[in-house]
Every structure is written in C-alpha cells, then in structure tokens.
C-alpha cells in the first residue's frame, strides 16, 4: 500500500539501547539483575504490609498500590527489552506496539496520579489528624484508586488513539526499547503538529496539575511541622514524608523532561537514557527509598526477619 511514494509499515523494529554486539550480553545481565531486584523489592513491600497489622493503614495501602504499579511498569518494558538484547529478531507488530503503548501510558499515568493522593494522605494525617480516619477511610481510599485508574485509562486512550491514527511510512525502526509516543511521531510521514499539541497539553497538563497538588499539600505540611514544638514529633512527621517527596521528585522530573515538551525537540539518545531511568531504575529504587527512610517499615522488616 502506497502513500506519497512511501510504503506503510506493517511492523516495527525496536532498536533498543545499543546495536553494538559487544554490549548485548553485558546489558542483558545488568537489566536482568535490575528486574529481579525490582520484583523482589516491590513484592517484599506488598508482602510486608499485608503480613503486619500495624501497617494496615491508608498510607501503606497506597504504598502497596505504588509497588504493584512499579511491578507492572517494569514487566511491560524490561522483559521485552531483555529478549531484544539476546534475539536477532527485534520486531514488534503494529498491534503489539499499540498495546504496549496503551499499557505503558495507562500504568504510568496511574503512578503520576497516585502521588498527589499519597501527598493528600500525608497532608490529612499531619494537618488534620483527628479527621484522618474519616477522610481517608477504606472506602475513600478504594474510591480514589478507582478514580485515578479511570483517569489514567482515559489519558492512555487519548494518547494511543491520536498516535496510531497517523500513517507510519518513513521507517519502521523505533530508536527506543519500547513503543513511546515521541519516538513514533518521528516515523510518521504526515503532519504531527496536532499530536504534539495533544501530548503536551494532555500529558504535560496532567503532570503539571499533579505537581501543583503535591506542592500545595507539602506547603501545608511544612507549615504545620514548623508549628510542632517537640523535635521528636517533628522528625517523625518529616520521616513519613521525606521518602515520598524523593520519589515524587524522581518521577515528575523524568516525565516532565520527556513529555512536557514538543517532540520536535526530542533527542533520541538523551531521552532514551531518561526513559531507562524512569521505566527501569525508579521502579527498582522506590521500595528501597521507602524502606530506608521509613522507621515503621524497617521495624516491620526486623520483626519479620526475627520471626524467620
């Protein structure tokens, strides 16, 4: 099928991180180790929270959801990347690429929307402790999770639909390790201005709105902490928020770098490195950040190890 002397592609080739044969095995071993650590760390958090009654609180319910999302993000991208590193055939069908993009955006958007909910949870616990059990009840938490999943699916449908309405005919080589919007827009033989505007306005707008909610929540948290007279209580409040704040900064920083700009300024090498950090490193780091910075998690872990 021809369009303006270009042949429309029926499948894509995921170039991956490197085409140097000498790097294929070292990269495979490294990312396999990272994936295993990610699974062990996040499954460990979920198991620890479920096994310890003291951790059956809204904060740790949300943390379990974050760990589940991190497992999904890694599983969508890393196994396929690993197979491409050791196999000669690195192709993915158009339908498979579309499915992968939808899942990545749906799960990734859920994580973006989960952090404002976690920030609101900390705001309520520190600024309105007497109302905390009412505001962050089990029903409220489940409703919030359901709402952000719905919002994430809508965002993913918008991005995936607009992207795959385009004809791809310049090349079938995606210079990435997964099907990402900016990389695919580079392959289109039609005008992508509308797609770029939708990506920046919708994805960038949702990231910006999430950041604003987090900043407002932490502004009130900081003001409340400064009013606490006991240094021990101040440190306890800070320790419950610091891990979350670090994870927020890592996620939003990388996402803003990739999606909150027009893909015409997309740098294949630079943004690929940032994507590796976002899709591979952050899911591995999150459980350790929460474990190392959270006294309750460390105490629960010591008790679990002690029982064994």
């Amino acid at each position: 099928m021809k369009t303006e002397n270009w042949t429309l592609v029926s499948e894509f080739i995921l170039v991956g991180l490197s085409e140097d044969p000498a790097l294929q095995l070292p990269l495979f071993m490294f990312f396999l180790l990272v994936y295993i650590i990610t699974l062990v760390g996040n499954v460990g958090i979920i198991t620890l929270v479920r096994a310890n009654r003291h951790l059956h609180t809204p904060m740790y319910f949300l943390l379990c959801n974050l760990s589940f999302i991190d497992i999904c993000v890694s599983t969508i991208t890393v196994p396929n990347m690993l197979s491409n590193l050791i196999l000669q055939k690195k192709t993915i069908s158009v339908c498979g690429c579309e499915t992968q993009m939808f899942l990545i955006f749906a799960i990734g958007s859920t994580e973006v929307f989960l952090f404002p909910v976690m920030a609101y949870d900390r705001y309520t616990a520190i600024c309105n402790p007497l109302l905390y059990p009412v505001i962050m009840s089990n029903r409220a938490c489940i409703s919030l999770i359901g709402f952000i999943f719905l919002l994430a699916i809508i965002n993913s449908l918008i991005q995936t639909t607009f992207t795959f309405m385009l004809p791809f005919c310049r090349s079938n080589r995606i210079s990435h390790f997964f099907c990402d919007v900016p990389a695919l827009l580079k392959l289109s033989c039609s005008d992508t201005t509308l797609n770029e505007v939708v990506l920046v306005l919708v994805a960038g707008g949702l990231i910006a709105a999430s950041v604003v909610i987090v900043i407002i929540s932490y502004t009130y948290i900081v003001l409340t902490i400064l009013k606490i007279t006991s240094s021990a209580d101040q440190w306890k409040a800070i320790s419950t928020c610091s891990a979350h704040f670090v994870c927020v900064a890592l996620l939003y920083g990388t996402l803003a770098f990739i999606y909150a700009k027009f893909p015409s300024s997309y740098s294949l090498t630079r943004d690929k490195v940032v994507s590796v950090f976002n899709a591979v490193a952050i899911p591995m780091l999150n459980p350790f950040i929460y474990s190392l910075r959270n006294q309750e998690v460390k105490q629960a872990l010591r008790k679990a190890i002690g029982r064994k």
Side-chain angles (χ1 to χ4, degrees), residues 27-169:
L27 287 173
F28 174 83
M29 298 302 296
F30 174 75
F31 285 107
L32 176 62
L33 178 62
V34 169
Y35 183 57
I36 292 172
I37 294 173
T38 300
L39 293 181
V40 171
N42 285 288
V43 171
I45 288 288
I46 294 172
T47 304
L48 190 66
V49 171
R50 289 180 61 86
N52 194 302
R53 292 183 179 181
H54 296 292
L55 301 182
H56 290 181
T57 63
M59 174 183 173
Y60 294 105
F61 170 75
L62 297 174
L63 179 57
C64 284
N65 278 273
L66 176 62
S67 291
F68 173 74
I69 291 169
D70 283 338
I71 291 171
C72 292
V73 169
S74 292
T75 302
I76 293 169
T77 56
V78 177
N80 187 65
M81 178 177 65
L82 292 175
S83 66
N84 288 343
L85 284 170
I86 59 173
L87 299 176
Q88 294 297 321
K89 187 178 180 181
K90 301 182 179 184
T91 59
I92 182 171
S93 66
V94 173
C95 182
C97 189
E98 188 173 6
T99 302
Q100 187 187 55
M101 179 182 290
F102 173 81
L103 291 175
I104 289 171
F105 258 93
I107 299 299
S109 298
T110 304
E111 186 167 19
V112 169
F113 304 145
L114 180 62
F115 278 123
V117 175
M118 296 177 75
Y120 179 71
D121 170 76
R122 291 299 83 208
Y123 157 77
T124 307
I126 294 172
C127 302
N128 296 294
L130 297 179
L131 295 176
Y132 181 69
V134 177
I135 296 175
M136 297 301 294
S137 63
N138 290 337
R139 183 175 180 179
C141 289
I142 293 172
S143 298
L144 286 170
I145 293 298
F147 175 73
I148 63 176
F149 266 106
L150 177 61
L151 193 61
I153 289 173
I154 293 172
N155 178 46
S156 183
L157 281 172
I158 292 172
Q159 300 299 339
T160 306
T161 301
F162 270 85
T163 300
F164 282 90
M165 284 174 61
L166 296 170
F168 300 104
C169 47

Side-chain angles (χ1 to χ4, degrees), residues 158-159 162 193-204:
I158 292 172
Q159 300 299 339
F162 270 85
T193 302
L194 177 61
N195 299 76
E196 295 185 17
V197 170
V198 169
L199 181 64
V200 172
L201 289 182
V202 178

Side-chain angles (χ1 to χ4, degrees), residues 41 45 48 243 286-295 297-298 301:
I45 288 288
L48 190 66
N286 279 345
F288 295 100
I289 292 172
Y290 275 98
S291 298
L292 295 174
R293 299 292 300 172
N294 191 299
Q295 293 298 324
V297 172
K298 288 194 286 188
L301 183 60

Side-chain angles (χ1 to χ4, degrees), residues 193 196-200 258-266:
T193 302
E196 295 185 17
V197 170
V198 169
L199 181 64
V200 172
I258 298 170
Y259 298 112
K261 63 181 181 180
F262 284 97
S264 55
S265 61
Y266 182 80

